[in-house]
Amino acid sequence: MLIQLCVRNFAIVDDLTVDFQPGMSAITGETGAGKSIALDALSLCLGARSEAGFVRAGADKAEISASFNIHTLPIVKQWLEARELDADDECLLRRTITAEGRSKAYINGAPVPVALLKEVGSHLVSLHGQHDHHQLMKQEHQLVLLDQYASHSHLISNVGEHWRTWQQLLKEQRALQQAAEQQLARRQLIEYQVNELNEFALMVGDYEQLEIEHKRLANTSALQDDSAFALNSLFDGEHNNAYSLLEGVVARLRAHQDIDSRLLPILTLLDEASVQIEEAVRELRHYQDGLDSDPAALAEADERLAMALQLARKHKIAPQQLPTLHQELVAELDSLSASSERLEQLDSEINVAYNNYQAAAEKLSASRVKAAKSLDQKIIETMKQLNMPGGLFITRINTDAEHYSSRAGIDQVVFEVSVNAGQKPQALQKVASGGELSRISLAIQVLTAEQDGLPTLVFDEVDVGVSGPTAATVGRLMRRLGESNQVICVTHLPQVAARAHHQIQVSKNTKKGATYTSMETLTEEQRVNELARLLGGDTITANTLANAQELLAG
């Protein structure tokens, strides 16, 4: 529950601290005194949109803090713990707004995004404004109110999860289908190119080897001629071949080795050279024997080399890069094939996801139908108490998966009402006058608030358009809510204020040309005077005082 609200430099508020108690608290005051200012400030602590105009004239910034007791709110404690925020029995929300319009938010002293104020606030306070009946005219809001009354958030959450899964799969399917259409021509081209490269089957290093082989085959005749010349010059020639000349040189020098020993190393080298020539001749004969002319092999190498060059020009790369390109194209084709397989798989997954969504939505629909019957009966009873004795209220639920499927289920909810006996119920916005709509809205807000499960309920002049005996009924309804929840209501009706457990008076004063707003919790005697003022205006008489005392006693 809300324990304390502190407001600094906000609108016409200079410095204000208000303590709140359990039960029902009524906030009253003269018209224009600023009865709703405290609730506007509280809204900012709950994540409402801020404006620079909220800052009091002449001040640098406005500051609002709201303290809540969360001892009996484990869901809030868990929320705080999950975000590593202090999770003791008290939760402090704070908001600052500079004169330039910049806003900062804090939870238990830690700076946080404003969105987190709204998120935690949804577990702490339920705000009901005097213009909520305008929202009531919208069918989507009627659905929200029915769900609020039904208290089946777990069913709504389940439907939402299945909806998201189904929609994500549909989104993936649309993306793949669109990509498949765009990539069809690309896939056909790649399939042709891969088949072409598969057939050519050029491996890494093959092109370099092919160039070498082609060059050898193309020069076989010259290699044969020069090999024969080399053999003849080294060994086979009848006159002056290198081997014979070397042997002659060795023979002549060897004859002098005994005369001069310095010739011995030279002779050793010449002997080695003679051996090397013999070895070279043997290798050269072997090489020459393998130099058979092969026109067919040359033609094949020539054709393969030409094909490699043609493919390289086609893909605008060097011939040596063809194997790498081949691998890349195969990988891309595999990826495109995987997308096609995923598309086929998605059909099955989408069917399962839709069936899960449909089943969850049908459970939610059944819960709404059950809750609607209970809500209708209670609203009819409350309408009678609110001076509409012949009133009839029907929650029409149209279930149609084809037309109404959404994250909120497969239902359209329409509130129908008849305010006079014998009148056929019609859509709420068609038949209710302003005063009737306010009373019906009030009945719905009170009944749904009872099911909210939130500790603090705030009503900001929701009793506008209500008077007389009906006002007394509104007071009793608020009092009933206050027995199980903390209820804070801004009201101008003495019948409502008299039913409160506590009453807070808002006053506006002018000092040195500046306007100040103050709030004071009234004693029983002060309450009598304030109720008398509400009853009789500025002139308080013995009769109004007696009426005020009677209201409090009742």
Side-chain angles (χ1 to χ4, degrees), residues 102-353:
R102 293 189 296 274
S103 170
K104 292 182 180 180
Y106 305 85
I107 296 178
N108 290 335
V112 296
V114 173
L116 286 189
L117 289 182
K118 185 175 292 187
E119 193 173 332
V120 71
S122 67
H123 300 298
L124 295 168
V125 178
S126 178
L127 292 170
H128 301 267
Q130 58 180 301
H131 301 297
D132 278 7
H133 62 275
H134 296 305
Q135 285 286 95
L136 186 60
M137 311 286 272
K138 301 176 182 178
Q139 288 183 358
E140 59 269 24
H141 189 61
Q142 294 173 6
L143 176 63
V144 169
L145 287 172
L146 176 61
D147 286 337
Q148 187 175 319
Y149 176 79
S151 296
H152 50 207
S153 57
H154 61 292
L155 295 179
I156 297 173
S157 176
N158 193 34
V159 169
E161 288 177 8
H162 287 302
W163 166 266
R164 282 190 293 274
T165 300
W166 177 35
Q167 293 303 307
Q168 286 169 356
L169 291 171
L170 287 174
K171 183 179 179 180
E172 183 182 357
Q173 184 186 53
R174 287 192 295 269
L176 288 176
Q177 286 173 340
Q178 184 178 3
E181 292 171 3
Q182 295 173 347
Q183 294 171 351
L184 178 60
R186 174 68 178 167
R187 179 173 179 173
Q188 291 174 339
L189 173 63
I190 293 176
E191 284 179 343
Y192 171 78
Q193 291 174 335
V194 167
N195 289 335
E196 189 176 48
L197 291 169
N198 283 343
E199 186 176 346
F200 188 53
L202 189 70
M203 305 301 291
V204 176
D206 280 1
Y207 180 77
E208 293 83 353
Q209 190 60 39
L210 179 61
E211 279 189 311
I212 294 171
E213 182 67 14
H214 179 269
K215 190 179 292 185
R216 184 186 66 78
L217 290 170
N219 291 279
T220 300
S221 179
L223 291 171
Q224 287 175 333
D225 290 345
D226 289 341
S227 296
F229 172 79
L231 283 171
N232 191 62
S233 298
L234 289 172
F235 197 83
D236 292 342
E238 293 183 6
H239 307 288
N240 298 326
N241 64 70
Y243 185 79
S244 298
L245 290 172
L246 185 58
E247 286 295 306
V249 168
V250 169
R252 296 188 65 161
L253 291 176
R254 197 176 299 279
H256 303 292
Q257 64 181 352
D258 293 335
I259 299 171
D260 191 346
S261 61
R262 289 178 299 175
L263 289 174
L264 291 176
I266 298 171
L267 286 170
T268 299
L269 289 173
L270 290 173
D271 286 338
E272 291 175 356
S274 178
V275 172
Q276 291 293 328
I277 289 175
E278 287 182 302
E279 182 65 26
V281 167
R282 282 195 298 273
E283 290 296 326
L284 193 56
R285 290 192 195 284
H286 179 70
Y287 170 76
Q288 188 182 45
D289 290 341
L291 281 175
D292 293 333
S293 179
D294 191 345
L298 176 60
E300 182 180 348
D302 196 41
E303 181 182 354
R304 190 162 175 77
L305 194 63
M307 184 64 179
L309 292 169
Q310 179 184 343
L311 286 172
R313 283 193 299 270
K314 182 176 181 179
H315 292 285
K316 298 180 181 179
I317 59 174
Q320 296 89 336
Q321 296 175 305
L322 284 173
T324 301
L325 174 68
H326 188 186
Q327 294 172 0
E328 291 172 351
L329 290 175
V330 168
E332 186 176 354
L333 185 59
D334 289 343
S335 176
L336 292 174
S337 299
S339 296
S340 178
E341 292 173 5
R342 177 60 181 153
L343 264 176
E344 295 176 5
Q345 182 184 0
L346 273 173
D347 287 334
S348 170
E349 291 185 17
I350 288 171
N351 284 335
V352 171

Side-chain angles (χ1 to χ4, degrees), residues 47-48 52 90 135 178-179 217 336 348 390-391 393 397 473 501-502 519:
E90 189 171 321
Q135 285 286 95
Q178 184 178 3
L217 290 170
L336 292 174
S348 170
F393 189 91
I397 300 176
T473 301
H501 298 93
H502 321 281
M519 297 179 71

